[in-house]
Amino acid sequence: MRRLGKLWKGIAAGAAAAVLLGGCGRPADDSQEKDKNLIVVGFSEVGAESDWRVANTESMRNTFVEENGYELMFNDAKQKQESQILAIRNYILQKVNYIVLAPVIEEGWEEVLQEAKDAEIPVIVVDRRVKVEDDSLYTAWVGSDFRKEGDMAVEWLEEELEKQGREDEEINILHVQGTAGASAQLGRTEGLEAGLKKHKNWNRVATLQGEFTQAKTYEVVLDFLESGKAADVIYCENDNSAFGAIQALEEAGVSYGTDGDVMVISFDATRAGLQDCLEGKINVDVECNPLHGPRVESIIQKLEAGETPEKEWYVEETYFTADNLSEEFIEAREY
Ligand code: AHR
């Protein structure tokens, strides 16, 4: 596999300098650079909308470093698909060795992935998925089973209501969705919807758009509460959304958590989320593991060795309540 990295950059810089100096510039001294022989990875990240995302970015940045033989080109797409498409096109132009894409939403990738394929650059999709008819447009995907996460949350709620002797009561659920069209939203929503179908006494009182952020969720949940509406459960599709919901509940003077009137369901199980869980503010936190850097690297290493990596790689996950958490566990957690 070709190696571009510093060498390519050196040549490009040398050529550019030569043009600028009207042919009088000395050739770039790339002998030192050649030895580095780095694998160039272009990574387009969704943004920085949540604690989870920050941990994911860190994991990638810490993995694809020069000491490990990589040069990382990074794009923060600020939750915009257009920005991701531009970044991928730029990586193709720069002839990177691998493109890694954490797609903001599932749809709309065919054209640009075809361009990467035509340029013979393998694309590894990470975290959320892409929905394409021809799955040869990407080499491999690694991430979470978001539907299974939703199912875990619903199973917990079923058991909790049973424990409380409320399994036949009318249960009002406020649903706060993440970014519309993102795999994490779609899977977690599907899980809840299957629960609603199964339990005729569960009612979804509203679906609000929380966009996976604390600020947006705070705004929409406060609005909901201030309009005099109530719920027994708030189903937040990530930790930062749960933080926003908690902020709104506090402000509206509504009790919540293990000792309150409103049960808070969350996803991610980041350190801050688990701390809230341990303190009884979040009733259940379903895990979503963001430490994908080493996983993506192992896919790249397989490709480098001429092997074929698994097309799909689901990460094993669990869920947490105050009962299976401790300060020590949270402190030792990597994210
Ligand atoms: O795609 C993973 C989800 O995206 C995480 O649950 C969330 O925190 C992030 O923004």
Side-chain angles (χ1 to χ4, degrees):
M1 179 157 295
R2 65 202 185 287
R3 289 281 166 272
L4 300 163
K6 300 279 180 185
L7 168 60
W8 183 84
K9 279 187 152 180
I11 292 169
V19 171
L20 282 171
L21 297 170
C24 304
R26 61 185 173 82
D29 175 11
D30 57 313
S31 52
Q32 208 189 348
E33 305 294 358
K34 251 179 209 157
D35 294 336
K36 289 193 176 158
N37 215 24
L38 299 174
I39 298 173
V40 184
V41 174
F43 174 42
S44 177
E45 174 64 293
V46 169
E49 73 284 4
S50 63
D51 291 18
W52 188 101
R53 187 63 58 196
V54 171
N56 178 244
T57 298
E58 226 177 86
S59 172
M60 298 293 284
R61 280 197 191 278
N62 292 341
T63 303
F64 295 105
V65 290
E66 217 171 291
E67 300 89 278
N68 294 345
Y70 295 97
E71 179 184 336
L72 180 68
M73 298 172 84
F74 181 79
N75 155 251
D76 172 348
K78 303 200 163 46
Q79 304 236 57
K80 295 212 170 10
Q81 184 178 38
E82 314 85 81
S83 164
Q84 298 204 287
I85 291 173
L86 269 179
I88 293 173
R89 293 207 165 116
N90 182 33
Y91 295 150
I92 295 171
L93 272 178
Q94 303 225 36
K95 296 185 166 53
V96 300
N97 300 117
Y98 296 93
I99 291 172
V100 180
L101 169 65
V104 60
I105 53 171
E106 290 193 351
E107 308 265 358
W109 297 104
E110 260 93 359
E111 201 180 322
V112 75
L113 292 187
Q114 185 63 55
E115 291 168 28
K117 188 178 172 186
D118 293 344
E120 293 177 30
I121 301 176
V123 175
I124 298 156
V125 181
V126 64
D127 169 32
R128 303 173 186 174
R129 312 192 62 134
V130 293
K131 196 169 176 189
V132 285
E133 254 176 47
D134 172 7
D135 76 358
S136 76
L137 292 181
Y138 63 92
T139 303
W141 165 84
V142 57
S144 302
D145 187 337
F146 298 109
R147 168 62 200 266
K148 194 170 164 193
E149 290 175 357
D151 290 342
M152 275 196 258
V154 163
E155 276 161 32
W156 173 85
L157 183 58
E158 285 169 345
E159 283 168 22
E160 181 61 23
L161 290 170
E162 230 175 272
K163 251 196 251 166
Q164 295 180 13
R166 297 171 67 191
E167 65 271 33
D168 298 323
E169 259 180 41
E170 290 291 306
I171 301 295
N172 291 329
I173 301 172
L174 173 60
H175 180 193
V176 186
Q177 276 186 338
T179 308
S183 310
Q185 176 271 310
L186 295 166
R188 292 166 189 169
T189 294
E190 268 174 34
L192 174 63
E193 282 171 350
L196 287 161
K197 227 175 171 176
K198 184 171 164 199
H199 299 279
K200 297 292 169 234
N201 56 325
W202 292 12
N203 317 304
R204 179 162 44 186
V205 285
T207 301
L208 308 176
Q209 300 306 313
E211 294 170 7
F212 287 129
T213 69
Q214 177 165 350
K216 186 69 190 169
T217 303
Y218 163 73
E219 182 190 315
V220 293
V221 172
L222 190 62
D223 236 45
F224 172 88
L225 296 169
E226 284 181 346
S227 68
K229 297 181 192 137
D232 303 297
V233 177
I234 299 194
Y235 186 93
C236 298
E237 289 187 350
N238 77 341
D239 276 348
N240 292 76
S241 194
F243 305 152
I246 287 171
Q247 205 185 333
L249 287 159
E250 295 255 5
E251 203 164 313
V254 178
S255 71
Y256 61 91
T258 48
D259 298 325
D261 292 334
V262 183
M263 290 186 240
V264 179
I265 293 179
S266 184
F267 296 85
D268 285 353
T270 56
R271 241 190 256 127
L274 292 184
Q275 191 60 44
D276 275 1
C277 205
L278 184 65
E279 290 169 18
K281 295 179 181 169
I282 289 175
N283 294 67
V284 64
D285 205 348
V286 180
E287 188 176 40
C288 182
N289 189 313
L291 306 178
H292 292 312
R295 297 183 189 114
V296 174
E297 199 209 356
S298 81
I299 293 171
I300 290 178
Q301 285 308 320
K302 278 210 170 112
L303 292 167
E304 289 288 303
E307 295 166 24
T308 308
E310 291 292 320
K311 189 80 184 181
E312 298 191 332
W313 179 357
Y314 286 98
V315 177
E316 271 303 308
E317 287 160 345
T318 183
Y319 69 87
F320 299 94
T321 65
D323 295 340
N324 63 353
L325 281 173
S326 65
E327 290 285 0
E328 300 71 53
F329 178 85
I330 297 170
E331 223 158 89
R333 194 154 174 88
E334 277 181 78
Y335 61 95

